[in-house]
Structures are given as C-alpha cells and as structure tokens.
Amino acid sequence: MLEEKKSGFRYGAFLIALGIVYGDIGTSPLYTMNAIIAGNVHTDDMKALVIGSISLVFWTLMLITTVKYVLIALRADNHGEGGIFSLYSKVRTSKMKWLILPAMIGGAALLADGALTPAVTVTSAVEGLEGQHFGALVFPTGTDFVVPVVLTILLFAFTLQRKGTTKIGRLFGPLMLIWFTFIGFFGFLQVLAYPEILKAISPVYAVQTLFSSDNHLGILILGNIFLATTGAEALYSDMGHVGKQNIYLSWPFVYTMLILNYMGQGAWTILHSVNGTNLNLFFDILPNQWRLVGVILSTVAAVIASQALITGAFTLVSEAISLKMMPRLRIAYPNTFRGQMYISFVNWLLFAAGILVVLLFQTSHNMESAYGLAITVTMLMTTLLLFEYIRARTKLLYAILFAMTFGLLESLFLVASLVKFIHGGYFTVLLMLLILSVMVFWYYGNKRREALSYNNDYLSLKHYRQQLMQLAHDKEEPLMANNLVYIVNVHDDYQIKKSVIYSLLGARPKRAKVYWFVTIKESINPYEKSYSVDLMGSQNMVRVVLNLGFKVDPQVEYYIRHIAKTLVKQGYLEPQKIRYGLDKNRAVGDFKYVLTNNYYTDLKTVSQISSWDRFLIGGRVWLQSHSVHLRYFYRLRLSDTVEEIVPLFIEHRQVLKLRQLEVKNLPISE
C-alpha cells in the first residue's frame, strides 16, 4: 500500500514537471531542424550534414541541459528556488558586489528573449495547417492566413493570465505527456525506417560537421543548433515550482522523446532528399491522417509554453523588484496557489512585444533568425555566477574547469548567434538593453543618491530619542495616532534621513504613543519572513528590521500589527486601551503610516555632483514617478496613510544678507 502511494505521488509529480518546466524546450522540434537545414540549402552531401547536425543537437542537449543545468545548476538551489536571481542571492557577499552586473545582464536577456518564445512557437504550430487537406476542408497558405490566427491565439493566452492558471495548469501535465509521447513515437517510426541515423549518437560526427566542407555555415551552424536548448535556463528557473527531484525524474523521458523526434526528422530528410528554405519537417514526418492531430497538439503545446514563459516572467520581475533592481509594479494574486501572481504591466508588455514580432517577421523562418541570441548571454552570466558558487564550496580547480568548459562552449554559441543580429537579433538585443537600462537607473541611481546624501542628509536617531519620548507623553500636543509608522532605512549606527526627523519634530510635531521605524531587507532565503526589534531603551520607540525573501508578498501592514501584538504580549510595550470600537479588548490601537516621496530637485543646482550621477539619479527619479505608489506596493490600501513630499537633497545654502531701507508705521487718514 505504501509503495502504491509512493508511485502515485511520483507519477503526479512527474506530470506537474512536464506541464510547468518543459514547455519551451519541448516545442523546439517545431522549428530547430527547419532552421538547420534551411541554413545549408546548397550542400552536396545532405546525409552527412543531417547526421552531424543531429549529433550536435544530441551533445548540446547532453552538455548544456543535462550536465550544466540538471546535474550541476540544480544543486545550486536557494532553499529550493532556482534561476539567475536566486543564484545571485545565494552567492552575493559584501566583497562581491560586482556580481549584481551579471545578474542584471542575465535577467534582462532572459526577459528579452522570452518575448519571442510565444510568437515563434505559436507561429510554427499554426504553419502546420498551411495547404493541408482534411476531407473537403483545405487550409490556405501564406501570412494572410497564419498571422491573424497567431494573433488570436496570443491574445487568448495573454488574456488568460489575469484569471490565474491553477485550474488549467492541472491539465498541462497530461497534455504535455501526450505531446512528448506523440513526438517521440512518430520520430521513432522514422528511425525504424532509417536506422543509420543512430550514428548521430557518436560525438565524432558532431565534430566532423563543424569543420566539414558540406557545412557551408561552418561554426555559425551552432546558432541554429542552439535553438534546441533555449529552454534550459527556464528549466533551472522553474525548479522552485516542481522541485529538483521531479526534474531528475522527468528529464530522461523528455530528453529521449526530443532526440527521437530530431532523429526522425533527420531520417525523413535523408530518405526524401529534402533541400530548401520553406520547410516544415516536424509535420512532414507525420502521416496525412495524423497531421491535424499534430497541429492541434503543437498549438496546445505552444500555448502551454507561452503560459509557462509568461508566468516565469512574472516571477523574474517580482524577484528583481524585491532585489531592488526594478521599479515597483502592481502585483496581483489571482488565487492562493503558491507562486501564482499576475503583473498586468509585464503581461501586456510581453503581449505587445509578441504582436510586434509577429507583424515584423511574419513567418517562423524569419523569427528563427532572431531567436536565441539573447539567451546565450543569460547562459554565460549563469555560468559566471555558478563559478562563484562552486569556488566557494569546493576546490578552486573544479570551479575553473567548470568555467572554462561551459564558458568556452557558450561563447562559441554566442559568436555563432551574433550573425543573427542583422537578421532580426537586433530586436532582442535592443529589448535587452532597454530592460537593462531600467535596472541600471533604478539600482545604481538609488545607490548614488544614498552615497551622495549620506553625510549631509542623515542624522542619528539616538540624538532625538529623548525628544520623541517626551513628545509621546506630552498631552498638550494632539495625538495623531497610537502607532506612527515610517518605512525607512535605519542604518546600524542609527543614521536616518533628515527628512524623517523634520517630519516628526518640525513645525507641527507628530505625537504618537509608539513610533515605529521599519527597515525592509532582502533575505538570502527566498521564503524567509523574520524580524528583529530594537526598542532603544524605551516603550515609545521601536526599530524593526523585516527580513523578507524575494518570494514573499510584502504585506507590511499585517506584519507590523503582528509584531505589535507580540511585543505587547511579551511585556515590551504597554497595552493601548481602546475606548470605542467593535473590539474594545484588543491590546493594540490604530496605525498611521507616513510615506515620504522624493520630489525632483533640479540636480544642476546641487553642488559637487558629477554629470554621470545627475544622469543616473535623474533616471531613477523619472522611473520612480512612473512606478506603483508605496501605499499599494506595501499593501497599505486599507491603512490610514499620510504622504509627505521631500526634496532629493537638502543643502545648507549661505543666507544672503539683506539691507533694510526703512520701516513705515504711520497712521493713514481715511
């Protein structure tokens, strides 16, 4: 009975992994072989080229996907989470601050290349219908038919996201099981018809093809070979959704089915002496009566791949926001399923990019020319971060061997993919640079502002401790709130922004029974929710450091109320008696949150600031003005909030002396 439960659990986990992890890499047979053959349309020995190309695909999947990602990268999990930002959070230290750069570059490249995935997979699937006869029904050919259908499917896929995909997600696993079985079975039939294709398992044919005269592209053929493994990075990123053990369990099956299909397409190409640019080898290997089924299944698989890509982008952006690499965006949670989120801005930005790709490139062949360039950059950045991970945990020699092996291999793929730049790769490169510039402005603009203002715009909270304690007990001042909360960075030496002190003790002092100063820090553990408290020797001042992982929803209102109740229960804070209300027995009174927003200071008037700093800080300020308000970001929608506007920099200017001419105070006759 126990064994049955274990096997049932494993089978369910197997299906979940199939539905979530392998959408991108699982749809690569739709276009990879087309791109390889179309790139060598004038070869004299198609047989040698095909066997060698499939050998390259086999060993690319073996080395990059299996060895690097499945066997090595999955070990570098961050409390069960994977992906480039999780890896960065694990390896970053105070002495390795430069690692933020490869994390930013890799994340931007992954988002940019992902914008093409829905377009290229759906287009490749729909093109399978062109010119097909199903009884009396004959499908037209050309972009006038394909493009509208693709746009409709993309609209459906992106609209579906706002509802959440938990219920539909339960179907993804069984559907992808059918998909992989389907492509493996029909590939196997072609292998039986031409068993010589099994020679491709030998790496000798892969090496020979790179230097063969029959391969007119030379090493540039790797740019098309790379399409077979573009989903490897997504496999690592989605580890947190399914667990590494389930990937270990499912990948051998997926790998086998993919290779069988690639070999089947190669066998069919050799047997039918195929040579041309407008190819559709995935559908050509299917018997006529199975082509409609193939189109339906490939379209479903393409939609599943798109869904996985979109939700993966939500996760990636959410992590970047938590790591303070990107501006605040409105994040919704359609249901209570772990990891489910919806970011409207990202969803429709990806949709717009996908629509633009379809309209710009029209056919999957043209899209293939643009696809895969940016993801090679992400893989190189992941290799760099993995080098640091391995170096810190094993011998330096092992880390160097890893970096040299995969750094060289992925550099070759990058060089080979650079030729795609003029054929459409410019689109993903420009998109990557746009995303990267947003990250640079947001992260470094804030760092430079803090560095420039630390000496002049910060005061020690300790110096104002007595005044705040007196103010809390001064009944002559009106009580603003029982608990007054500032979400502000308080440094370890109690340095705090001057604007906060001015807000508290300025022209109109703010009296409260308890003053809360809340600092939010990113934790290495993606799911950590912990806090530390410093009461500063009083019952009227509480400094809280919230440690939140980048997978945690920042529900500050809930966390602070929970901490307040705990401190009252433990006797650190006095109970706050409530005279009126639905629950007069509660021990904690009302909370008011004071939010400070910087208004734009004319940076040209700020002394001792370089042009580069003005550029970075100005960009940060512009992004901040277009990001989500702090009230919504910290889930304070139902809280009493006060917004105060403060300048970016506070400079003490020399007061100009004015010469008084005269003062009149004479009675005036009416």
Side-chain angles (χ1 to χ4, degrees):
M1 189 70 178
L2 183 60
E3 290 299 321
E4 289 180 3
K5 287 184 178 180
K6 284 185 177 180
S7 63
F9 170 77
R10 288 199 170 195
Y11 177 69
F14 176 83
L15 288 179
I16 292 172
L18 288 182
I20 294 177
V21 174
Y22 301 110
D24 191 359
I25 202 168
T27 52
S28 58
L30 288 171
Y31 46 79
T32 300
M33 286 301 296
N34 295 341
I36 293 171
I37 302 302
N40 273 289
V41 294
H42 302 299
T43 185
D44 297 325
D45 191 350
M46 182 59 70
K47 174 183 173 181
L49 176 69
V50 169
I51 293 177
S53 297
I54 294 175
S55 182
L56 284 168
V57 169
F58 178 89
W59 287 103
T60 296
L61 286 171
M62 176 64 75
L63 292 174
I64 292 184
T65 310
T66 305
V67 177
K68 178 188 171 182
Y69 282 99
V70 176
L71 298 182
I72 298 177
L74 291 189
R75 293 172 180 263
D77 67 299
N78 190 346
H79 296 81
E81 289 295 325
I84 193 164
F85 288 146
S86 290
L87 181 58
Y88 161 72
S89 296
K90 192 173 184 69
V91 300
R92 63 174 175 169
T93 63
S94 58
K95 296 181 180 179
M96 304 292 288
K97 294 181 179 180
W98 64 272
L99 291 176
I100 187 73
L101 288 174
M104 282 183 176
I105 295 170
L110 187 59
L111 283 171
D113 210 71
L116 270 74
T117 300
V120 70
T121 52
V122 173
T123 303
S124 299
V126 173
E127 285 177 345
L129 284 173
E130 287 188 285
Q132 296 298 323
H133 298 256
F134 301 102
L137 180 63
V138 180
F139 286 93
T141 60
T143 56
D144 290 340
F145 161 70
V146 172
V147 170
V149 175
V150 171
L151 295 181
T152 302
I153 294 174
L154 289 178
L155 178 62
F156 168 76
F158 282 94
T159 303
L160 194 66
Q161 288 295 327
R162 63 196 299 262
K163 300 290 185 180
T165 56
T166 302
K167 293 181 179 179
I168 294 179
R170 293 170 184 167
L171 298 174
F172 286 0
L175 289 173
M176 291 304 289
L177 177 61
I178 295 171
W179 166 254
F180 282 116
T181 305
F182 180 85
I183 67 174
F185 175 75
F186 284 104
F188 178 67
L189 293 182
Q190 297 298 325
V191 172
L192 290 179
Y194 189 75
E196 193 176 350
I197 197 69
L198 293 172
K199 289 181 178 179
I201 296 176
S202 170
V204 173
Y205 293 94
V207 177
Q208 287 178 348
T209 298
L210 285 177
F211 302 99
S212 172
S213 59
D214 295 316
N215 172 22
H216 297 162
L217 292 177
I219 197 174
L220 297 182
I221 195 175
L222 292 176
N224 294 326
I225 298 293
F226 186 75
L227 295 175
T229 191
T230 52
E233 187 72 34
L235 181 150
Y236 178 41
S237 299
D238 290 330
M239 174 174 57
H241 294 284
V242 300
K244 66 173 73 175
Q245 295 299 328
N246 297 325
I247 296 177
Y248 292 149
L249 181 69
S250 56
W251 172 243
F253 167 74
V254 172
Y255 184 32
T256 302
M257 296 300 103
L258 289 173
I259 292 301
L260 282 175
N261 192 262
Y262 284 123
M263 287 186 170
Q265 292 187 44
W268 192 91
T269 301
I270 295 172
L271 289 173
H272 293 79
S273 302
V274 173
N275 202 335
T277 55
N278 296 318
L279 304 174
N280 215 329
L281 295 175
F282 176 84
F283 296 101
D284 289 339
I285 71 171
L286 301 177
N288 288 333
Q289 65 271 27
W290 284 97
R291 289 195 178 183
L292 180 59
V293 177
V295 171
I296 294 173
L297 284 177
S298 62
T299 303
V300 170
V303 171
I304 291 174
S306 300
Q307 293 288 312
L309 178 278
I310 299 165
T311 54
F314 293 161
T315 301
L316 197 67
V317 171
S318 174
E319 292 172 354
I321 292 171
S322 297
L323 292 170
K324 298 183 179 179
M325 295 182 191
M326 294 189 76
R328 299 180 297 270
L329 297 173
R330 194 183 300 270
I331 302 176
Y333 296 86
N335 47 60
T336 58
F337 184 72
R338 181 181 179 183
Q340 281 280 309
M341 65 182 70
Y342 174 72
I343 306 178
S344 178
F345 178 80
V346 175
N347 186 70
W348 295 114
L349 183 64
L350 287 175
F351 174 71
I355 295 300
L356 186 59
V357 168
V358 174
L359 296 177
L360 186 63
F361 296 104
Q362 300 282 311
T363 68
S364 63
H365 173 68
N366 294 334
M367 294 176 196
E368 291 155 12
S369 300
Y371 195 41
L373 173 57
I375 203 67
T376 57
V377 177
T378 301
M379 288 187 172
L380 274 170
M381 298 302 104
T382 300
T383 296
L384 183 57
L385 293 175
L386 282 172
F387 167 78
E388 290 297 331
Y389 173 83
I390 297 171
R391 184 183 64 84
R393 288 160 179 79
T394 61
K395 295 181 179 179
L396 178 60
L397 177 62
Y398 296 155
I400 293 175
L401 288 175
F402 170 82
M404 289 182 63
T405 300
F406 291 100
L408 177 61
L409 183 61
E410 288 161 357
S411 294
L412 288 175
F413 279 114
L414 177 60
V415 171
S417 299
L418 287 177
V419 72
K420 295 183 177 184
F421 183 84
I422 59 175
H423 298 294
Y426 61 84
F427 182 86
T428 50
V429 171
L430 290 176
L431 189 56
M432 180 189 77
L433 292 176
L434 177 62
I435 298 171
L436 182 60
S437 64
V438 170
M439 291 182 174
V440 169
F441 277 121
W442 187 258
Y443 183 82
Y444 285 104
N446 188 56
K447 288 292 183 183
R448 291 307 303 153
R449 182 189 63 79
E450 288 186 346
L452 291 170
S453 63
Y454 186 79
N455 293 328
N456 296 324
D457 290 353
Y458 280 77
L459 297 171
S460 176
L461 185 59
K462 293 188 297 183
H463 296 162
Y464 298 89
R465 174 175 166 274
Q466 290 296 331
Q467 285 194 57
L468 288 173
M469 291 172 62
Q470 291 174 10
L471 177 60
H473 295 91
D474 188 353
K475 295 185 178 181
E476 293 185 7
E477 293 289 342
L479 185 68
M480 186 173 187
N482 281 284
N483 300 276
L484 198 61
V485 184
Y486 284 82
I487 301 176
V488 62
N489 186 23
V490 181
H491 295 269
D492 293 336
D493 57 356
Y494 296 99
Q495 292 291 312
I496 193 172
K497 287 183 178 179
K498 185 185 297 183
S499 58
V500 175
I501 301 298
Y502 181 81
S503 171
L504 286 166
L505 301 171
R508 184 174 294 177
K510 295 180 175 65
R511 181 182 166 229
K513 291 182 179 179
V514 181
Y515 296 99
W516 297 78
F517 304 95
V518 181
T519 301
I520 301 175
K521 291 187 176 181
E522 306 87 32
S523 172
I524 294 177
N525 182 345
Y527 291 101
E528 181 173 351
K529 289 184 287 186
S530 63
Y531 67 92
S532 58
V533 173
D534 182 357
L535 296 170
M536 301 180 66
S538 75
Q539 288 190 322
N540 307 105
M541 297 175 64
V542 183
R543 179 196 173 205
V544 177
V545 177
L546 272 177
N547 303 301
L548 303 179
F550 57 76
K551 287 283 187 177
V552 176
D553 186 23
Q555 301 180 50
V556 174
E557 177 184 26
Y558 171 81
Y559 299 143
I560 298 302
R561 186 170 290 276
H562 171 79
I563 294 170
K565 290 179 180 179
T566 301
L567 293 177
V568 170
K569 186 176 181 180
Q570 293 173 342
Y572 291 110
L573 292 181
E574 294 180 353
Q576 298 171 356
K577 296 181 180 180
I578 308 300
R579 297 180 61 186
Y580 305 100
L582 297 176
D583 182 12
K584 294 192 292 183
N585 296 321
R586 69 179 190 268
V588 180
D590 65 305
F591 287 79
K592 184 184 288 291
Y593 290 80
V594 181
L595 305 176
T596 57
N597 280 329
N598 298 120
Y599 72 79
Y600 185 79
T601 302
D602 186 359
L603 296 176
K604 293 180 180 179
T605 65
V606 181
S607 61
Q608 297 180 347
I609 181 172
S610 67
S611 299
W612 177 243
D613 285 336
R614 287 193 183 95
F615 182 62
L616 283 177
I617 297 171
R620 158 77 190 214
V621 171
W622 185 88
L623 289 172
Q624 182 173 314
S625 66
H626 291 80
S627 63
V628 172
H629 194 281
L630 286 171
R631 180 181 180 186
Y632 296 99
F633 183 74
Y634 289 124
R635 309 292 186 266
L636 303 176
R637 291 184 295 269
L638 302 178
S639 302
D640 188 7
T641 59
V642 175
E643 183 178 0
E644 295 184 342
I645 306 299
V646 297
L648 276 174
F649 298 99
I650 301 175
E651 284 205 319
H652 296 286
R653 296 181 178 274
Q654 183 179 1
V655 180
L656 298 177
K657 293 182 178 180
L658 297 177
R659 182 167 59 90
Q660 188 182 76
L661 297 178
E662 63 177 332
V663 176
K664 288 184 178 182
N665 189 18
L666 301 176
I668 300 176
S669 58
E670 297 182 0

